[in-house]
Amino acid sequence: MNDELFRYPIIGKLNDEDLHSIRPYLTVHSFDNGTVILRQNQETAHFHILLDGILNVYVEQETKVHVAKLEKGQFVGEMSCLTGGAVSATVQAQGQVRTVSMPREGMLQLMDRSPEFRNHMIEAMIQRVTNTNHRVLEEYTRSSVVLRQLQEERQSHYGPLVGDGRFMRQLRKKITELSQKNEPLCIIGDRGVGKSHAAWEIHAQSGRSEHPFFVVEGKSFGTEEWEMKVRAAKGGTIVLEQADSLPSDLVRRLVHAPDETRFILTAGRRLHADVEHLEIPPLRERQEDLPALVYSFIAEAGFQNPESLISQEAMNRLSDFPFLGGNIQELKRVVHDAMVRSSGKEIRNSHLRFGSVREPGARPKIGLALGSGSVRGAAHVGVIKVLEQAGIPIDLIAGTSVGAFIGALYAGGQPVSAFEKVLPTVRWGQLVLPTLPLNGIVDNSPMVRFVEKYIGPVDFKDLSIPFAAVASDAVNGEACILNQGKVSRAICASTAIPGVMRPVKYGDKLLLDGAVAHPVPVALAKSMGADIVIAVDVSTPDDMKKEPKNFVATILNTMDIMSKRMIQDELQLADVVLSPRLKNNQITFKASASYIQAGEYVTRESLEAIKQKMETFVCC
């Protein structure tokens, strides 16, 4: 060991006595190629002297900016080790690297015993005082080489805008218009819809395209970083992501400060700041663009003829999925995962996996998908009752029509005992009012008062269990997922039976019963993050159907017939399907007790299957 120490840079020049005193502090490390030895903005208790190999030093901000290449005998981490501050840059091994490290105590002894090392430290401190981290970063960021690198990385990261549907055609036209403007802009939409991509396209088509394009995250906003990037982006574009996570007065000051930089904000909702807004709808509302996106993801993975690598059934299933967890980015993950499962051959339904990414060994999230079925929906209560008794958690609920009604009340805190007591006493007069038969014979606005009687005028975010409802657009029949705003109003929309009840005005749309689009919302439950979905189908089996006796029963029976194929398709996504055997000859709530019992019975029969599913997930 002593012979080797004499060959170490700096240390090897110490005499025997000094070498003996410093030796207990020394630790030799070996690092493989690409290993990060020190991470920017983290503190370190040791500094390193490079023995063999090469270390690359980067400042990491918008991109990796290469600052220095260190060779044998040079130091890293000495300032952070000495002062207790954060490391100013990331240090990464190039090839095989060996270092010798020591803590602050050893470092102080080395400074005392080695004039050469002491002089190095003094020079380093002078350099740091005269050239701070921010100035180094700004100089490198402003350099033409780095600007070119930034532009190339952005172009590679975002790629072209994909899709030829109506919305994408309008978006391209709007981007061209916005690229000619200089005023602040706010791009709004759900997570993963492509807000930052649209901002990049606006920048790339503008006269600012030769200048920097920087992004600042609102959730980790810092004044120093913002001011530095504004200076560095002079003449270009700076994007403030998640602007709705910051105080509105701060956002207003930031975007209206005089500067030569174009400010673009992204947010999940409209801001009160006086800026123009561009809205990008979620993927589920522009399904016509989905095939082109799927093909682009397959081609991006290196496959030719992507149209031949996915079956029509798999494409249809992708088109039906809501992608609440991340829109385009979530679609990309699902497609890439399916390609792995298909071994590069045709993607089929069996290769598609939806839902959240779960830590191995963690308890799976259980979701309920409660289906439509008018008064037969009382069976949902029986399902919930048995799950509770068996200790099976209910982590989230998706509901359609009566499933939304039951699911919302339960998510709002109503116990099963309250359902058992109240449901048999409910009368339609408490839920609807007669109206002129223009587009419905009744108006279900009293539903608002009924729901709020039990859970109050709550918003979705106030519910104790995550919940979402499905309604249908009265104009085009497309699914509308309701998971924001007043719960009671959403329940009105989800339960508005076509031809019987008036469509419900909800925002800028007219909505009807969700059974038209998703009779049993399994895909929605998966998209909300459920690992295991227990689907409850309360439609009437064919062998139990009876001739409807009145107009309303006829409408409900017709909806059941029309929904049958959709139910069969969507139930394929479920992990457990509960189908209580219920007759279709009841349109009052008087039979609720027997329906609840039917729900209990079918759930008890399936408890073992549910538990086995949970155990399988935990073991994975």
Side-chain angles (χ1 to χ4, degrees):
M1 177 69 175
N2 278 334
D3 290 342
E4 187 179 8
L5 289 176
F6 283 118
R7 294 195 294 270
Y8 288 176
I10 304 298
I11 295 172
K13 297 181 181 182
L14 300 175
N15 59 41
D16 289 342
E17 181 182 352
D18 293 341
L19 190 62
H20 180 75
S21 67
I22 207 76
R23 181 175 175 179
Y25 298 104
L26 301 178
T27 304
V28 176
H29 306 269
S30 295
F31 300 99
D32 293 330
N33 181 46
T35 302
V36 173
I37 298 174
L38 299 176
R39 178 74 69 183
Q40 181 178 331
N41 297 326
Q42 293 182 355
E43 296 178 4
T44 179
H46 295 75
F47 86 103
H48 294 256
I49 301 174
L50 183 55
L51 300 178
D52 297 296
I54 294 173
L55 293 176
N56 286 312
V57 184
Y58 299 96
V59 171
E60 296 185 285
Q61 201 71 15
E62 281 298 312
T63 184
K64 276 188 176 181
V65 179
H66 191 266
V67 176
K69 179 178 288 189
L70 305 182
E71 298 179 345
K72 182 177 180 178
Q74 294 185 287
F75 306 82
V76 287
E78 67 272 19
M79 289 299 295
S80 179
C81 179
L82 183 63
T83 64
V87 177
S88 60
T90 293
V91 181
Q92 188 174 36
Q94 177 181 323
Q96 295 296 314
V97 168
R98 278 200 322 140
T99 70
V100 60
S101 72
M102 66 178 67
R104 187 171 185 271
E105 293 85 351
M107 181 179 179
L108 292 174
Q109 279 204 39
L110 187 56
M111 288 181 66
D112 184 50
R113 295 175 181 277
S114 171
E116 184 176 347
F117 181 74
R118 184 168 59 249
N119 290 338
H120 169 83
M121 291 298 300
I122 292 172
E123 290 176 5
M125 283 187 275
I126 293 173
Q127 183 68 20
R128 294 299 174 92
V129 170
T130 58
N131 194 2
T132 65
N133 294 342
H134 288 154
R135 288 188 59 191
V136 170
L137 174 60
E138 184 172 344
E139 288 304 312
Y140 276 95
T141 303
R142 293 297 301 170
S143 71
S144 60
V145 173
V146 173
L147 290 181
R148 194 178 308 116
Q149 181 183 358
L150 284 169
Q151 297 298 84
E152 290 173 355
E153 286 202 6
R154 289 292 179 190
Q155 184 67 55
S156 172
H157 174 67
Y158 290 119
L161 285 171
V162 175
D164 293 312
R166 180 179 55 85
F167 167 76
M168 288 303 299
R169 293 195 299 271
Q170 294 176 346
L171 178 62
R172 290 189 180 93
K173 181 179 179 181
K174 188 66 176 178
I175 283 175
T176 300
E177 295 174 3
L178 291 170
S179 69
Q180 307 307 310
K181 297 183 178 182
N182 295 314
E183 294 80 14
L185 170 70
C186 182
I187 304 176
I188 59 174
D190 292 350
R191 182 165 66 94
V193 295
K195 299 187 290 291
S196 293
H197 193 168
W200 161 254
E201 288 292 337
I202 291 170
H203 168 80
Q205 293 185 29
S206 72
R208 304 174 179 273
S209 60
E210 296 301 317
H211 296 277
F213 175 88
F214 289 137
V215 176
V216 176
E217 292 187 8
K219 289 187 177 179
S220 57
F221 179 83
T223 303
E224 289 186 1
E225 179 196 10
W226 173 261
E227 292 177 350
M228 181 276 296
K229 285 193 173 180
V230 168
R231 291 195 301 272
K234 187 175 182 180
T237 303
I238 189 165
V239 177
L240 177 60
E241 293 185 333
Q242 306 112 21
D244 45 345
S245 65
L246 295 174
S248 56
D249 58 337
L250 173 60
V251 173
R252 198 175 296 112
R253 289 200 307 272
L254 294 176
V255 300
H256 290 294
D259 200 272
E260 298 177 31
T261 305
R262 175 78 183 272
F263 295 100
I264 298 180
L265 314 174
T266 71
R269 55 179 174 78
R270 294 184 71 87
L271 301 180
H272 295 301
D274 183 22
V275 295
E276 184 175 357
H277 285 77
L278 170 65
E279 183 171 2
I280 301 181
L283 184 57
R284 62 183 176 273
E285 294 182 13
R286 46 189 174 108
Q287 293 178 340
E288 54 193 351
D289 293 321
L290 188 138
L293 285 165
V294 171
Y295 298 145
S296 73
F297 296 149
I298 295 174
E300 181 182 289
F303 292 94
Q304 296 181 347
N305 302 318
E307 294 85 353
S308 66
L309 288 179
I310 181 167
S311 69
Q312 188 58 52
E313 292 79 9
M315 185 68 80
N316 292 342
R317 179 160 292 182
L318 288 170
S319 298
D320 287 340
F321 197 75
F323 295 104
L324 290 181
N327 284 285
I328 295 172
Q329 289 305 311
E330 185 181 4
L331 171 65
K332 183 176 183 178
R333 176 180 63 79
V334 171
V335 171
H336 281 185
D337 288 350
M339 290 174 62
V340 172
R341 293 189 184 91
S342 71
S343 301
K345 298 178 182 179
E346 186 182 54
I347 296 173
R348 298 185 177 277
N349 279 350
S350 59
H351 299 132
L352 299 175
R353 297 288 188 276
F354 300 100
S356 61
V357 177
R358 184 179 57 85
E359 292 292 331
R363 179 182 71 77
K365 287 186 178 180
I366 310 298
L368 287 186
L370 305 181
S372 60
S374 188
V375 296
R376 298 190 302 272
H380 295 317
V381 176
V383 172
I384 294 170
K385 180 179 180 179
V386 173
L387 293 178
E388 279 190 352
Q389 292 172 346
I392 294 173
I394 298 173
D395 297 302
L396 57 92
I397 302 172
T400 294
S401 194
V402 67
F405 175 76
I406 299 293
L409 291 173
Y410 183 72
Q414 285 301 295
V416 168
S417 58
F419 285 105
E420 292 178 310
K421 179 181 178 181
V422 173
L423 277 181
T425 69
V426 174
R427 301 292 179 266
W428 281 106
Q430 298 172 268
L431 307 177
V432 299
L433 286 175
T435 185
L436 292 175
L438 297 176
N439 46 13
I441 59 175
V442 294
D443 177 354
N444 74 344
S445 58
M447 183 81 73
V448 169
R449 187 167 57 252
F450 185 90
V451 171
E452 293 184 355
K453 174 182 176 181
Y454 292 98
I455 63 173
V458 297
D459 285 358
F460 279 86
K461 61 181 175 60
D462 301 320
L463 297 173
S464 57
I465 299 174
F467 168 75
V470 180
S472 305
D473 191 306
V475 176
N476 56 31
E478 292 181 354
C480 294
I481 294 171
L482 311 178
N483 58 3
Q484 294 180 349
K486 286 285 183 289
V487 175
S488 55
R489 191 66 181 167
I491 302 312
C492 278
S494 184
T495 57
I497 303 170
V500 178
M501 300 177 185
R502 279 185 170 181
V504 174
K505 182 72 172 176
Y506 197 92
D508 59 351
K509 295 182 177 181
L510 279 176
L511 301 183
L512 287 169
D513 196 308
V516 174
H518 288 286
V520 185
V522 181
L524 175 56
K526 283 281 187 184
S527 193
M528 291 169 69
D531 297 306
I532 296 174
V533 175
I534 302 171
V536 187
D537 172 20
V538 293
S539 60
T540 301
D542 289 342
D543 64 332
M544 297 188 69
K545 286 184 177 178
K546 298 194 175 185
E547 184 179 347
K549 296 181 178 179
N550 53 52
F551 169 71
V552 174
T554 300
I555 292 289
L556 294 173
N557 190 58
T558 301
M559 289 182 63
D560 278 351
I561 294 171
M562 294 173 61
S563 301
K564 186 174 181 180
R565 179 57 187 271
M566 287 190 291
I567 292 174
Q568 291 173 347
D569 288 343
E570 192 146 15
L571 289 182
Q572 293 180 40
L573 285 174
D575 298 280
V576 178
V577 177
L578 305 179
S579 301
R581 292 180 60 79
L582 308 172
K583 296 179 180 180
N584 70 330
N585 61 341
Q586 290 288 338
I587 61 170
T588 71
F589 290 91
K590 292 179 181 179
S592 292
S594 64
Y595 288 152
I596 292 173
Q597 289 174 0
E600 292 180 47
Y601 177 79
V602 72
T603 309
R604 286 197 185 95
E605 283 193 323
S606 300
L607 278 178
E608 192 59 36
I610 296 171
K611 292 177 180 179
Q612 286 180 358
K613 282 284 183 182
M614 294 177 65
E615 290 173 1
T616 300
F617 267 83
V618 171
C619 292
C620 290

